[in-house]
Amino acid sequence: MSDIEQAPPGVDSTVPSPARMYDYILGGKANFEVDREAVKTVRAHMPDLEDAAWANRGFLQRSVAWLADQGIRQFIDIGAGLPTGNNTHDAVQKVAPDARVLYVDNDPLVEIHAKALLEGVEGTAFITADFRDPEGLLGHEETQAMIDFTRPVALLMVTVTHFVSDEDDPWGLVQRYVSRVAPGSYVALSAISSDRQVSEELGQVTAVYARSSSGGAYPRPRADIERFFTGLEIVPPYPGAPAEVCHLGVWGAEDPDEADSDGSRLGYAAVARKPE
């Protein structure tokens, strides 16, 4: 049962929110009945939903730790979602205590919870901004105060692009972000795929998200997800692997074969570097 049945000011508890749905899938309590019902509908058509969510969470945690190992000390987590166990700053600052993490989301409930969580935590901040507005997000006064754009930055775009329609050109949006960061910066990106999914079942899932605060969800085939890394140098997801996108849970896994589950195969992920 959620502990926020009374919605805070500015939060609409009558419309499902992808951030709150994700929170519920991961066992959190920052969600409403409308979110839980939406997840139940999605789960009926996507039985490996929880497995996929945890595989994606694992990708985030392992990739940011790896990036910190490479010397990256600035992270912008776009579409960060609601706080849950081992957040980005937790994973990063275990490796590099001096690293800075800027969280970004456009959900008002995320702002409420994130600011409470981050109070007194050095090297972290939160801003309310939308992935679809790179200039506004990167030009935000908090972003400018926290991030030195003359030095490499890690842009985290974890399960955010599939909420942007083709008409809004998510590939162009990613390129606009990349154009603003220094050479040697990285993009860590994951997205749900339409591969391996029955079109009728997928249609039922996307219908749920069409009624959510995101306005829609757009799973894409592998080739379209690979386009997000145009002009970037993809790094191998684990030693001995080719430098290419992989399924969600495989990136950085100690045992890639064991991690290659049905849920992991619901999406793709990669980490890529902006060349000098």
Side-chain angles (χ1 to χ4, degrees):
M1 178 61 68
S2 169
D3 58 2
I4 58 160
E5 288 304 325
Q6 185 171 353
V11 175
D12 187 350
S13 63
T14 67
V15 177
S17 155
R20 300 193 309 256
M21 291 169 64
Y22 191 55
D23 171 75
Y24 178 59
I25 294 166
L26 294 175
K29 296 183 178 181
N31 51 77
F32 301 108
E33 181 63 24
V34 68
D35 306 304
R36 298 190 285 275
E37 289 301 317
V39 169
K40 290 174 185 176
T41 302
V42 173
R43 187 188 292 122
H45 301 283
M46 191 180 283
D48 297 307
L49 180 64
E50 276 81 5
D51 185 17
W54 283 110
N56 182 67
R57 193 71 185 168
F59 164 67
L60 170 66
Q61 293 164 353
R62 292 191 297 272
S63 63
V64 297
W66 182 87
L67 287 163
D69 270 333
Q70 308 314 301
I72 300 298
R73 295 295 181 265
Q74 306 183 108
F75 296 77
I76 304 178
D77 190 346
I78 304 171
L82 282 156
T84 185
N86 197 14
N87 288 288
T88 300
H89 71 275
D90 296 313
V92 167
Q93 292 179 348
K94 282 181 183 178
V95 179
D98 59 333
R100 300 190 297 276
V101 178
L102 176 67
Y103 291 98
V104 184
D105 207 287
N106 64 355
D107 188 313
L109 189 61
V110 173
E111 178 181 12
I112 293 168
H113 280 256
K115 287 189 173 179
L117 175 79
L118 300 176
E119 185 175 359
V121 180
E122 292 188 8
T124 66
F126 177 90
I127 64 169
T128 299
D130 196 298
F131 171 69
R132 297 174 181 82
D133 181 17
E135 288 72 30
L137 191 160
L138 298 178
H140 192 285
E141 61 180 0
E142 188 77 43
T143 308
Q144 291 292 311
M146 189 173 195
I147 303 298
D148 178 359
F149 285 98
T150 68
R151 300 180 63 81
V153 178
L155 295 168
L156 312 179
M157 302 175 181
V158 178
T159 55
V160 64
T161 58
H162 58 240
F163 292 118
V164 181
S165 69
D166 288 5
E167 289 73 17
D168 285 333
D169 189 15
W171 303 278
L173 289 172
V174 171
Q175 290 302 313
R176 283 158 64 185
Y177 282 100
V178 171
S179 72
R180 293 285 300 274
V181 297
S185 294
Y186 287 85
V187 172
L189 185 150
S190 65
I192 298 300
S193 175
S194 56
D195 294 350
R196 298 172 55 85
Q197 299 195 57
V198 178
S199 59
E200 182 178 348
E201 298 292 326
L202 187 60
Q204 295 294 327
V205 170
T206 56
V208 172
Y209 284 98
R211 298 189 294 270
S212 76
S213 59
S214 73
Y218 310 91
R220 297 182 169 96
R222 176 176 179 142
D224 281 350
I225 295 172
E226 289 173 333
R227 288 175 56 197
F228 290 118
F229 302 99
T230 300
L232 302 175
E233 300 170 344
I234 295 178
V235 302
Y238 56 88
E244 61 185 18
V245 302
C246 64
H247 290 124
L248 293 173
V250 172
W251 204 98
E254 292 184 9
D255 186 339
D257 291 334
E258 180 69 22
D260 194 19
S261 63
D262 288 340
S264 171
R265 287 173 171 261
L266 287 176
Y268 293 102
V271 175
R273 183 176 182 273
K274 181 176 179 177
E276 299 293 337

